[in-house]
mmCIF file of all heavy atoms in Angstrom:
data_model
loop_
_atom_site.group_PDB
_atom_site.id
_atom_site.type_symbol
_atom_site.label_atom_id
_atom_site.label_comp_id
_atom_site.label_asym_id
_atom_site.label_seq_id
_atom_site.Cartn_x
_atom_site.Cartn_y
_atom_site.Cartn_z
ATOM 1 N N GLU A 54 2.448 3.951 -25.138
ATOM 2 C CA GLU A 54 2.634 3.518 -26.504
ATOM 3 C C GLU A 54 4.112 3.398 -26.892
ATOM 4 O O GLU A 54 4.950 4.154 -26.422
ATOM 5 C CB GLU A 54 1.976 4.568 -27.389
ATOM 6 C CG GLU A 54 1.848 4.168 -28.812
ATOM 7 C CD GLU A 54 0.718 4.958 -29.467
ATOM 8 O OE1 GLU A 54 0.815 6.179 -29.577
ATOM 9 O OE2 GLU A 54 -0.253 4.313 -29.850
ATOM 10 N N SER A 55 4.368 2.467 -27.790
ATOM 11 C CA SER A 55 5.713 2.328 -28.329
ATOM 12 C C SER A 55 6.174 3.658 -28.921
ATOM 13 O O SER A 55 5.440 4.285 -29.674
ATOM 14 C CB SER A 55 5.686 1.251 -29.414
ATOM 15 O OG SER A 55 6.882 1.275 -30.134
ATOM 16 N N ASP A 105 17.029 -6.237 -23.144
ATOM 17 C CA ASP A 105 17.581 -7.330 -23.902
ATOM 18 C C ASP A 105 18.867 -7.824 -23.259
ATOM 19 O O ASP A 105 19.929 -7.283 -23.506
ATOM 20 C CB ASP A 105 17.855 -6.851 -25.325
ATOM 21 C CG ASP A 105 18.313 -8.005 -26.169
ATOM 22 O OD1 ASP A 105 18.449 -9.112 -25.618
ATOM 23 O OD2 ASP A 105 18.551 -7.807 -27.360
ATOM 24 N N ASP A 191 9.756 -16.125 -21.189
ATOM 25 C CA ASP A 191 8.467 -16.823 -21.173
ATOM 26 C C ASP A 191 7.756 -16.588 -19.844
ATOM 27 O O ASP A 191 8.360 -16.176 -18.867
ATOM 28 C CB ASP A 191 8.613 -18.305 -21.543
ATOM 29 C CG ASP A 191 9.199 -19.148 -20.448
ATOM 30 O OD1 ASP A 191 8.769 -19.035 -19.292
ATOM 31 O OD2 ASP A 191 10.097 -19.940 -20.768
ATOM 32 N N SER A 193 6.546 -18.174 -17.312
ATOM 33 C CA SER A 193 6.979 -18.717 -16.031
ATOM 34 C C SER A 193 8.271 -18.033 -15.577
ATOM 35 O O SER A 193 8.460 -17.747 -14.392
ATOM 36 C CB SER A 193 7.166 -20.227 -16.171
ATOM 37 O OG SER A 193 7.775 -20.749 -15.039
ATOM 38 N N ASN A 200 9.220 -12.040 -9.219
ATOM 39 C CA ASN A 200 9.308 -12.451 -7.811
ATOM 40 C C ASN A 200 10.665 -12.072 -7.233
ATOM 41 O O ASN A 200 10.763 -11.598 -6.103
ATOM 42 C CB ASN A 200 9.080 -13.960 -7.669
ATOM 43 C CG ASN A 200 7.614 -14.349 -7.905
ATOM 44 O OD1 ASN A 200 6.734 -13.487 -7.905
ATOM 45 N ND2 ASN A 200 7.356 -15.626 -8.112
ATOM 46 N N ASP A 204 11.536 -9.673 -4.088
ATOM 47 C CA ASP A 204 12.325 -10.122 -2.930
ATOM 48 C C ASP A 204 13.476 -9.167 -2.660
ATOM 49 O O ASP A 204 13.748 -8.804 -1.514
ATOM 50 C CB ASP A 204 12.903 -11.521 -3.174
ATOM 51 C CG ASP A 204 11.813 -12.581 -3.219
ATOM 52 O OD1 ASP A 204 10.683 -12.271 -2.798
ATOM 53 O OD2 ASP A 204 12.097 -13.702 -3.683
ATOM 54 N N HIS A 218 5.446 -3.061 -21.161
ATOM 55 C CA HIS A 218 4.234 -3.063 -21.968
ATOM 56 C C HIS A 218 3.191 -3.970 -21.368
ATOM 57 O O HIS A 218 2.055 -4.010 -21.826
ATOM 58 C CB HIS A 218 4.526 -3.619 -23.359
ATOM 59 C CG HIS A 218 5.305 -2.675 -24.171
ATOM 60 N ND1 HIS A 218 4.899 -1.398 -24.386
ATOM 61 C CD2 HIS A 218 6.478 -2.806 -24.813
ATOM 62 C CE1 HIS A 218 5.788 -0.790 -25.128
ATOM 63 N NE2 HIS A 218 6.757 -1.618 -25.389
ATOM 64 N N ARG A 224 0.477 -4.335 -13.103
ATOM 65 C CA ARG A 224 -0.521 -4.384 -12.038
ATOM 66 C C ARG A 224 -0.001 -5.196 -10.861
ATOM 67 O O ARG A 224 -0.282 -4.909 -9.709
ATOM 68 C CB ARG A 224 -1.810 -5.002 -12.570
ATOM 69 C CG ARG A 224 -2.845 -5.231 -11.479
ATOM 70 C CD ARG A 224 -4.186 -5.604 -12.072
ATOM 71 N NE ARG A 224 -5.167 -5.782 -11.027
ATOM 72 C CZ ARG A 224 -5.737 -6.953 -10.743
ATOM 73 N NH1 ARG A 224 -5.411 -8.028 -11.414
ATOM 74 N NH2 ARG A 224 -6.627 -7.034 -9.779
ATOM 75 N N HIS A 225 0.779 -6.226 -11.177
ATOM 76 C CA HIS A 225 1.296 -7.046 -10.092
ATOM 77 C C HIS A 225 2.392 -6.340 -9.307
ATOM 78 O O HIS A 225 2.408 -6.343 -8.083
ATOM 79 C CB HIS A 225 1.835 -8.370 -10.636
ATOM 80 C CG HIS A 225 2.303 -9.254 -9.527
ATOM 81 N ND1 HIS A 225 1.441 -10.025 -8.794
ATOM 82 C CD2 HIS A 225 3.516 -9.399 -8.966
ATOM 83 C CE1 HIS A 225 2.109 -10.623 -7.840
ATOM 84 N NE2 HIS A 225 3.363 -10.274 -7.921
ATOM 85 N N LEU A 259 -5.879 1.853 -23.619
ATOM 86 C CA LEU A 259 -4.763 0.952 -23.356
ATOM 87 C C LEU A 259 -5.245 -0.268 -22.580
ATOM 88 O O LEU A 259 -4.958 -1.412 -22.938
ATOM 89 C CB LEU A 259 -3.720 1.731 -22.545
ATOM 90 C CG LEU A 259 -2.302 1.206 -22.471
ATOM 91 C CD1 LEU A 259 -1.681 1.164 -23.852
ATOM 92 C CD2 LEU A 259 -1.464 2.094 -21.555
ATOM 93 N N PRO A 264 -4.681 -8.137 -24.301
ATOM 94 C CA PRO A 264 -5.239 -9.390 -24.801
ATOM 95 C C PRO A 264 -5.684 -10.293 -23.647
ATOM 96 O O PRO A 264 -4.953 -10.497 -22.695
ATOM 97 C CB PRO A 264 -4.084 -10.033 -25.563
ATOM 98 C CG PRO A 264 -2.946 -9.088 -25.533
ATOM 99 C CD PRO A 264 -3.246 -8.006 -24.560
ATOM 100 N N ARG A 272 -12.312 -12.791 -28.297
ATOM 101 C CA ARG A 272 -12.971 -12.487 -29.556
ATOM 102 C C ARG A 272 -14.294 -11.762 -29.368
ATOM 103 O O ARG A 272 -14.928 -11.374 -30.319
ATOM 104 C CB ARG A 272 -13.134 -13.770 -30.366
ATOM 105 C CG ARG A 272 -11.787 -14.209 -30.940
ATOM 106 C CD ARG A 272 -11.720 -15.679 -31.283
ATOM 107 N NE ARG A 272 -10.372 -16.177 -31.034
ATOM 108 C CZ ARG A 272 -9.589 -16.753 -31.947
ATOM 109 N NH1 ARG A 272 -10.001 -16.937 -33.160
ATOM 110 N NH2 ARG A 272 -8.381 -17.151 -31.628
ATOM 111 N N VAL A 283 -1.478 8.885 -35.946
ATOM 112 C CA VAL A 283 -0.546 8.852 -34.836
ATOM 113 C C VAL A 283 0.417 10.009 -35.056
ATOM 114 O O VAL A 283 1.143 10.023 -36.030
ATOM 115 C CB VAL A 283 0.238 7.531 -34.833
ATOM 116 C CG1 VAL A 283 1.151 7.466 -33.624
ATOM 117 C CG2 VAL A 283 -0.716 6.359 -34.865
ATOM 118 N N SER A 287 8.132 14.816 -33.501
ATOM 119 C CA SER A 287 8.835 15.986 -34.002
ATOM 120 C C SER A 287 7.836 17.076 -34.379
ATOM 121 O O SER A 287 8.199 18.209 -34.638
ATOM 122 C CB SER A 287 9.698 15.619 -35.212
ATOM 123 O OG SER A 287 8.883 15.082 -36.215
ATOM 124 N N SER B 47 11.005 -21.081 -22.754
ATOM 125 C CA SER B 47 12.248 -20.535 -23.268
ATOM 126 C C SER B 47 13.247 -21.681 -23.449
ATOM 127 O O SER B 47 13.418 -22.502 -22.552
ATOM 128 C CB SER B 47 12.757 -19.563 -22.196
ATOM 129 O OG SER B 47 13.656 -18.692 -22.743
ATOM 130 N N ASP B 103 14.617 -10.376 -31.494
ATOM 131 C CA ASP B 103 15.745 -9.507 -31.288
ATOM 132 C C ASP B 103 16.003 -8.517 -32.431
ATOM 133 O O ASP B 103 16.959 -8.654 -33.183
ATOM 134 C CB ASP B 103 17.014 -10.331 -31.046
ATOM 135 C CG ASP B 103 18.150 -9.444 -30.595
ATOM 136 O OD1 ASP B 103 17.872 -8.259 -30.308
ATOM 137 O OD2 ASP B 103 19.291 -9.905 -30.554
ATOM 138 N N PRO B 147 4.448 6.723 -37.402
ATOM 139 C CA PRO B 147 4.048 8.082 -37.748
ATOM 140 C C PRO B 147 5.081 8.738 -38.665
ATOM 141 O O PRO B 147 6.279 8.451 -38.539
ATOM 142 C CB PRO B 147 3.990 8.812 -36.406
ATOM 143 C CG PRO B 147 4.403 7.850 -35.351
ATOM 144 C CD PRO B 147 4.721 6.542 -35.975
ATOM 145 N N ALA B 189 8.170 -5.904 -28.075
ATOM 146 C CA ALA B 189 8.499 -4.533 -27.706
ATOM 147 C C ALA B 189 7.358 -3.565 -28.018
ATOM 148 O O ALA B 189 7.529 -2.366 -27.949
ATOM 149 C CB ALA B 189 9.776 -4.084 -28.408
ATOM 150 N N ASP B 191 3.541 -1.904 -27.423
ATOM 151 C CA ASP B 191 2.499 -1.759 -26.426
ATOM 152 C C ASP B 191 1.228 -2.398 -26.963
ATOM 153 O O ASP B 191 1.121 -2.692 -28.152
ATOM 154 C CB ASP B 191 2.264 -0.280 -26.134
ATOM 155 C CG ASP B 191 1.676 0.389 -27.323
ATOM 156 O OD1 ASP B 191 2.459 0.743 -28.222
ATOM 157 O OD2 ASP B 191 0.453 0.524 -27.396
ATOM 158 N N HIS B 218 5.188 -15.601 -26.345
ATOM 159 C CA HIS B 218 5.001 -16.014 -24.956
ATOM 160 C C HIS B 218 3.672 -15.510 -24.430
ATOM 161 O O HIS B 218 3.295 -15.822 -23.313
ATOM 162 C CB HIS B 218 6.112 -15.442 -24.081
ATOM 163 C CG HIS B 218 7.424 -16.091 -24.321
ATOM 164 N ND1 HIS B 218 7.591 -17.443 -24.197
ATOM 165 C CD2 HIS B 218 8.619 -15.598 -24.684
ATOM 166 C CE1 HIS B 218 8.851 -17.748 -24.472
ATOM 167 N NE2 HIS B 218 9.488 -16.648 -24.780
ATOM 168 N N ALA B 224 -4.735 -16.480 -27.794
ATOM 169 C CA ALA B 224 -6.182 -16.613 -27.629
ATOM 170 C C ALA B 224 -6.924 -15.728 -28.617
ATOM 171 O O ALA B 224 -7.982 -16.089 -29.122
ATOM 172 C CB ALA B 224 -6.582 -16.261 -26.197
ATOM 173 N N ALA B 227 -5.022 -16.960 -32.936
ATOM 174 C CA ALA B 227 -4.624 -18.237 -33.534
ATOM 175 C C ALA B 227 -5.839 -19.093 -33.885
ATOM 176 O O ALA B 227 -6.881 -19.020 -33.251
ATOM 177 C CB ALA B 227 -3.709 -19.000 -32.586
ATOM 178 N N THR B 265 -3.337 -11.770 -14.321
ATOM 179 C CA THR B 265 -4.477 -11.193 -15.035
ATOM 180 C C THR B 265 -4.601 -9.704 -14.764
ATOM 181 O O THR B 265 -4.032 -9.177 -13.819
ATOM 182 C CB THR B 265 -5.810 -11.848 -14.622
ATOM 183 O OG1 THR B 265 -5.929 -11.670 -13.216
ATOM 184 C CG2 THR B 265 -5.844 -13.297 -14.993
ATOM 185 N N GLY B 268 -9.801 -9.101 -11.714
ATOM 186 C CA GLY B 268 -9.912 -10.140 -10.694
ATOM 187 C C GLY B 268 -8.889 -9.963 -9.591
ATOM 188 O O GLY B 268 -8.169 -8.965 -9.524
ATOM 189 N N ARG B 270 -5.745 -9.908 -7.339
ATOM 190 C CA ARG B 270 -4.334 -9.775 -7.653
ATOM 191 C C ARG B 270 -3.555 -10.707 -6.735
ATOM 192 O O ARG B 270 -3.653 -10.628 -5.520
ATOM 193 C CB ARG B 270 -3.893 -8.331 -7.428
ATOM 194 C CG ARG B 270 -2.418 -8.095 -7.658
ATOM 195 C CD ARG B 270 -2.081 -6.623 -7.497
ATOM 196 N NE ARG B 270 -0.672 -6.444 -7.236
ATOM 197 C CZ ARG B 270 -0.138 -6.518 -6.028
ATOM 198 N NH1 ARG B 270 -0.885 -6.742 -4.992
ATOM 199 N NH2 ARG B 270 1.170 -6.370 -5.871
ATOM 200 N N ALA B 271 -2.771 -11.611 -7.364
ATOM 201 C CA ALA B 271 -2.044 -12.610 -6.573
ATOM 202 C C ALA B 271 -0.942 -11.940 -5.757
ATOM 203 O O ALA B 271 -0.295 -11.019 -6.235
ATOM 204 C CB ALA B 271 -1.443 -13.662 -7.499
ATOM 205 N N ARG B 273 1.803 -13.405 -4.865
ATOM 206 C CA ARG B 273 3.027 -13.814 -5.501
ATOM 207 C C ARG B 273 2.679 -14.551 -6.793
ATOM 208 O O ARG B 273 1.701 -15.291 -6.831
ATOM 209 C CB ARG B 273 3.780 -14.756 -4.557
ATOM 210 C CG ARG B 273 5.259 -14.776 -4.827
ATOM 211 C CD ARG B 273 6.008 -15.432 -3.689
ATOM 212 N NE ARG B 273 7.357 -15.736 -4.133
ATOM 213 C CZ ARG B 273 8.331 -14.846 -4.182
ATOM 214 N NH1 ARG B 273 8.129 -13.620 -3.807
ATOM 215 N NH2 ARG B 273 9.536 -15.189 -4.605
ATOM 216 N N LEU B 274 3.477 -14.345 -7.830
ATOM 217 C CA LEU B 274 3.167 -14.983 -9.105
ATOM 218 C C LEU B 274 3.517 -16.468 -9.061
ATOM 219 O O LEU B 274 4.484 -16.870 -8.428
ATOM 220 C CB LEU B 274 3.956 -14.302 -10.225
ATOM 221 C CG LEU B 274 3.612 -12.834 -10.469
ATOM 222 C CD1 LEU B 274 4.613 -12.211 -11.427
ATOM 223 C CD2 LEU B 274 2.206 -12.705 -11.025
ATOM 224 N N ILE B 277 6.506 -22.285 -12.695
ATOM 225 C CA ILE B 277 6.603 -23.733 -12.827
ATOM 226 C C ILE B 277 7.920 -24.130 -12.168
ATOM 227 O O ILE B 277 8.990 -23.741 -12.647
ATOM 228 C CB ILE B 277 6.568 -24.169 -14.306
ATOM 229 C CG1 ILE B 277 5.302 -23.627 -14.980
ATOM 230 C CG2 ILE B 277 6.639 -25.678 -14.418
ATOM 231 C CD1 ILE B 277 5.217 -23.920 -16.470
#
Side-chain angles (χ1 to χ4, degrees):
Chain A
E54 191 157 64
S55 168
D105 185 357
D191 75 47
S193 171
N200 288 345
D204 292 346
H218 288 305
R224 174 170 182 246
H225 183 82
L259 198 62
R272 286 158 214 238
V283 183
S287 59
Chain B
S47 200
D103 190 10
D191 68 278
H218 289 304
T265 58
R270 177 177 159 275
R273 204 166 166 80
L274 296 170
I277 304 176

